[in-house]
Amino acid sequence: MNRKTVIRKMLVAALGLTILTGSAISFYRHRNYAEPVVAGPGVTKVLKLSHYFEGIKGSINDCNIYVLEGTEPGGTMMVMGGSHPEEPACRLAAWI
């Protein structure tokens, strides 16, 4: 193998590692994003999703559930923003 081939392979490998590292950092930040949430006056209690399904306790999918209870008996409604709790934009849509 000549010197130019070795240098070319090393440059391609370095470029690949740089792209991989950048992708890994971006993925880590996305999975660990913590947006501030201030519960409004109507929120009577805050539970974790693991309150209903213990299998996700302690995982990233163990998201908060905000309960709003009125003084009169009535129906129950669930508002869900997206199907994956770790997607901040979907949760924001439900909060708004």
CSV table of all heavy atoms in Angstrom, one decimal, residues 21-47:
chain,number,residue,atom,x,y,z
A,21,THR,N,-19.2,11.6,16.1
A,21,THR,CA,-19.1,12.3,17.3
A,21,THR,C,-20.2,13.4,17.4
A,21,THR,O,-20.9,13.5,18.4
A,21,THR,CB,-17.7,12.8,17.6
A,21,THR,OG1,-16.8,11.8,17.6
A,21,THR,CG2,-17.6,13.6,18.9
A,22,GLY,N,-20.3,14.2,16.3
A,22,GLY,CA,-21.3,15.2,16.3
A,22,GLY,C,-22.7,14.7,16.4
A,22,GLY,O,-23.5,15.3,17.1
A,23,SER,N,-23.0,13.6,15.7
A,23,SER,CA,-24.3,13.0,15.8
A,23,SER,C,-24.6,12.5,17.2
A,23,SER,O,-25.7,12.6,17.7
A,23,SER,CB,-24.4,11.8,14.8
A,23,SER,OG,-24.2,12.3,13.5
A,24,ALA,N,-23.6,11.9,17.8
A,24,ALA,CA,-23.8,11.3,19.2
A,24,ALA,C,-24.1,12.4,20.2
A,24,ALA,O,-25.0,12.3,21.0
A,24,ALA,CB,-22.5,10.5,19.6
A,25,ILE,N,-23.4,13.5,20.1
A,25,ILE,CA,-23.6,14.7,20.9
A,25,ILE,C,-25.0,15.2,20.7
A,25,ILE,O,-25.8,15.5,21.7
A,25,ILE,CB,-22.5,15.8,20.7
A,25,ILE,CG1,-21.2,15.3,21.3
A,25,ILE,CG2,-22.9,17.1,21.4
A,25,ILE,CD1,-20.0,16.1,20.9
A,26,SER,N,-25.4,15.4,19.5
A,26,SER,CA,-26.8,15.9,19.2
A,26,SER,C,-27.8,15.0,19.7
A,26,SER,O,-28.8,15.4,20.3
A,26,SER,CB,-26.9,16.0,17.7
A,26,SER,OG,-28.2,16.4,17.3
A,27,PHE,N,-27.7,13.7,19.5
A,27,PHE,CA,-28.6,12.7,20.0
A,27,PHE,C,-28.7,12.7,21.5
A,27,PHE,O,-29.8,12.7,22.1
A,27,PHE,CB,-28.2,11.3,19.5
A,27,PHE,CG,-29.2,10.2,20.0
A,27,PHE,CD1,-30.5,10.1,19.4
A,27,PHE,CD2,-28.9,9.3,20.9
A,27,PHE,CE1,-31.3,9.1,19.8
A,27,PHE,CE2,-29.7,8.3,21.3
A,27,PHE,CZ,-31.0,8.2,20.7
A,28,TYR,N,-27.6,12.8,22.2
A,28,TYR,CA,-27.6,12.8,23.7
A,28,TYR,C,-28.3,14.1,24.2
A,28,TYR,O,-29.1,14.0,25.1
A,28,TYR,CB,-26.1,12.8,24.2
A,28,TYR,CG,-26.1,12.9,25.7
A,28,TYR,CD1,-26.2,11.8,26.5
A,28,TYR,CD2,-25.9,14.2,26.3
A,28,TYR,CE1,-26.2,11.9,27.9
A,28,TYR,CE2,-25.8,14.3,27.7
A,28,TYR,CZ,-26.0,13.2,28.5
A,28,TYR,OH,-26.0,13.3,29.8
A,29,ARG,N,-28.1,15.2,23.6
A,29,ARG,CA,-28.7,16.5,24.0
A,29,ARG,C,-30.2,16.4,23.8
A,29,ARG,O,-31.0,16.8,24.6
A,29,ARG,CB,-28.2,17.7,23.3
A,29,ARG,CG,-26.8,18.1,23.7
A,29,ARG,CD,-26.3,19.3,23.0
A,29,ARG,NE,-25.0,19.6,23.4
A,29,ARG,CZ,-24.2,20.4,22.7
A,29,ARG,NH1,-24.5,20.8,21.5
A,29,ARG,NH2,-23.0,20.7,23.2
A,30,HIS,N,-30.7,15.8,22.7
A,30,HIS,CA,-32.1,15.6,22.4
A,30,HIS,C,-32.8,14.7,23.5
A,30,HIS,O,-33.8,15.0,23.9
A,30,HIS,CB,-32.3,15.1,21.0
A,30,HIS,CG,-33.7,14.7,20.7
A,30,HIS,ND1,-34.7,15.7,20.5
A,30,HIS,CD2,-34.4,13.6,20.7
A,30,HIS,CE1,-35.8,15.2,20.3
A,30,HIS,NE2,-35.7,13.9,20.4
A,31,ARG,N,-32.1,13.6,23.8
A,31,ARG,CA,-32.7,12.6,24.7
A,31,ARG,C,-32.7,13.1,26.2
A,31,ARG,O,-33.5,12.6,27.0
A,31,ARG,CB,-31.9,11.3,24.7
A,31,ARG,CG,-32.0,10.6,23.4
A,31,ARG,CD,-33.3,9.9,23.3
A,31,ARG,NE,-33.4,8.8,24.2
A,31,ARG,CZ,-34.5,8.0,24.4
A,31,ARG,NH1,-35.5,8.2,23.6
A,31,ARG,NH2,-34.5,7.1,25.3
A,32,ASN,N,-31.9,14.1,26.5
A,32,ASN,CA,-31.8,14.6,27.9
A,32,ASN,C,-32.2,16.1,28.0
A,32,ASN,O,-31.8,16.7,28.9
A,32,ASN,CB,-30.3,14.4,28.4
A,32,ASN,CG,-30.0,12.9,28.5
A,32,ASN,OD1,-30.5,12.3,29.4
A,32,ASN,ND2,-29.2,12.5,27.6
A,33,TYR,N,-33.0,16.5,27.1
A,33,TYR,CA,-33.5,17.9,27.1
A,33,TYR,C,-34.5,18.1,28.3
A,33,TYR,O,-35.4,17.3,28.4
A,33,TYR,CB,-34.2,18.3,25.8
A,33,TYR,CG,-34.7,19.7,25.7
A,33,TYR,CD1,-33.8,20.7,25.6
A,33,TYR,CD2,-36.0,19.9,25.8
A,33,TYR,CE1,-34.2,22.0,25.5
A,33,TYR,CE2,-36.5,21.2,25.7
A,33,TYR,CZ,-35.6,22.3,25.6
A,33,TYR,OH,-36.1,23.6,25.5
A,34,ALA,N,-34.3,19.0,29.1
A,34,ALA,CA,-35.2,19.3,30.2
A,34,ALA,C,-35.8,20.7,30.2
A,34,ALA,O,-35.1,21.7,30.5
A,34,ALA,CB,-34.5,19.1,31.6
A,35,GLU,N,-37.0,20.8,29.7
A,35,GLU,CA,-37.6,22.1,29.6
A,35,GLU,C,-38.3,22.5,30.9
A,35,GLU,O,-38.9,21.6,31.5
A,35,GLU,CB,-38.6,22.2,28.4
A,35,GLU,CG,-39.8,21.3,28.5
A,35,GLU,CD,-39.5,19.8,28.3
A,35,GLU,OE1,-38.6,19.5,27.6
A,35,GLU,OE2,-40.3,19.0,28.9
A,36,PRO,N,-38.3,23.7,31.3
A,36,PRO,CA,-39.0,24.1,32.5
A,36,PRO,C,-40.5,24.1,32.3
A,36,PRO,O,-41.0,24.6,31.3
A,36,PRO,CB,-38.5,25.5,32.8
A,36,PRO,CG,-38.1,26.0,31.4
A,36,PRO,CD,-37.6,24.8,30.6
A,37,VAL,N,-41.2,23.5,33.3
A,37,VAL,CA,-42.6,23.5,33.3
A,37,VAL,C,-43.2,24.1,34.6
A,37,VAL,O,-42.7,23.7,35.7
A,37,VAL,CB,-43.2,22.0,33.2
A,37,VAL,CG1,-44.7,22.0,33.2
A,37,VAL,CG2,-42.6,21.4,31.9
A,38,VAL,N,-44.1,25.0,34.5
A,38,VAL,CA,-44.7,25.6,35.6
A,38,VAL,C,-46.2,25.3,35.6
A,38,VAL,O,-46.9,25.6,34.7
A,38,VAL,CB,-44.5,27.2,35.6
A,38,VAL,CG1,-45.2,27.8,36.8
A,38,VAL,CG2,-43.1,27.6,35.5
A,39,ALA,N,-46.6,24.5,36.6
A,39,ALA,CA,-48.0,24.1,36.6
A,39,ALA,C,-48.9,25.2,37.0
A,39,ALA,O,-48.6,26.0,37.9
A,39,ALA,CB,-48.1,23.0,37.7
A,40,GLY,N,-50.0,25.3,36.2
A,40,GLY,CA,-50.9,26.4,36.4
A,40,GLY,C,-51.8,26.2,37.7
A,40,GLY,O,-51.7,25.2,38.3
A,41,PRO,N,-52.6,27.2,38.0
A,41,PRO,CA,-53.5,27.1,39.2
A,41,PRO,C,-54.5,25.9,39.1
A,41,PRO,O,-55.0,25.5,40.2
A,41,PRO,CB,-54.2,28.4,39.3
A,41,PRO,CG,-54.1,29.0,37.9
A,41,PRO,CD,-52.9,28.4,37.2
A,42,GLY,N,-54.8,25.4,38.0
A,42,GLY,CA,-55.8,24.4,37.9
A,42,GLY,C,-55.3,23.0,38.1
A,42,GLY,O,-56.0,22.0,38.3
A,43,VAL,N,-53.9,22.9,38.1
A,43,VAL,CA,-53.3,21.5,38.3
A,43,VAL,C,-53.4,21.2,39.8
A,43,VAL,O,-52.9,21.9,40.7
A,43,VAL,CB,-51.8,21.6,37.9
A,43,VAL,CG1,-51.2,20.2,38.2
A,43,VAL,CG2,-51.7,21.9,36.4
A,44,THR,N,-54.1,20.0,40.1
A,44,THR,CA,-54.4,19.6,41.5
A,44,THR,C,-53.3,18.6,41.9
A,44,THR,O,-53.0,18.6,43.1
A,44,THR,CB,-55.7,19.0,41.6
A,44,THR,OG1,-55.9,17.9,40.7
A,44,THR,CG2,-56.8,20.0,41.4
A,45,LYS,N,-52.7,17.9,41.0
A,45,LYS,CA,-51.6,17.0,41.4
A,45,LYS,C,-50.8,16.6,40.2
A,45,LYS,O,-51.3,16.7,39.1
A,45,LYS,CB,-52.1,15.8,42.1
A,45,LYS,CG,-53.0,14.9,41.4
A,45,LYS,CD,-53.5,13.7,42.3
A,45,LYS,CE,-54.8,13.1,41.7
A,45,LYS,NZ,-55.3,12.1,42.5
A,46,VAL,N,-49.5,16.3,40.4
A,46,VAL,CA,-48.6,15.8,39.4
A,46,VAL,C,-48.2,14.4,39.7
A,46,VAL,O,-47.7,14.1,40.8
A,46,VAL,CB,-47.4,16.8,39.3
A,46,VAL,CG1,-46.4,16.3,38.2
A,46,VAL,CG2,-47.8,18.2,39.0
A,47,LEU,N,-48.5,13.5,38.8
A,47,LEU,CA,-48.1,12.1,38.9
A,47,LEU,C,-47.0,11.8,37.9
A,47,LEU,O,-46.8,12.5,36.9
A,47,LEU,CB,-49.3,11.2,38.7
A,47,LEU,CG,-50.5,11.4,39.7
A,47,LEU,CD1,-51.7,10.6,39.2
A,47,LEU,CD2,-50.1,11.1,41.1
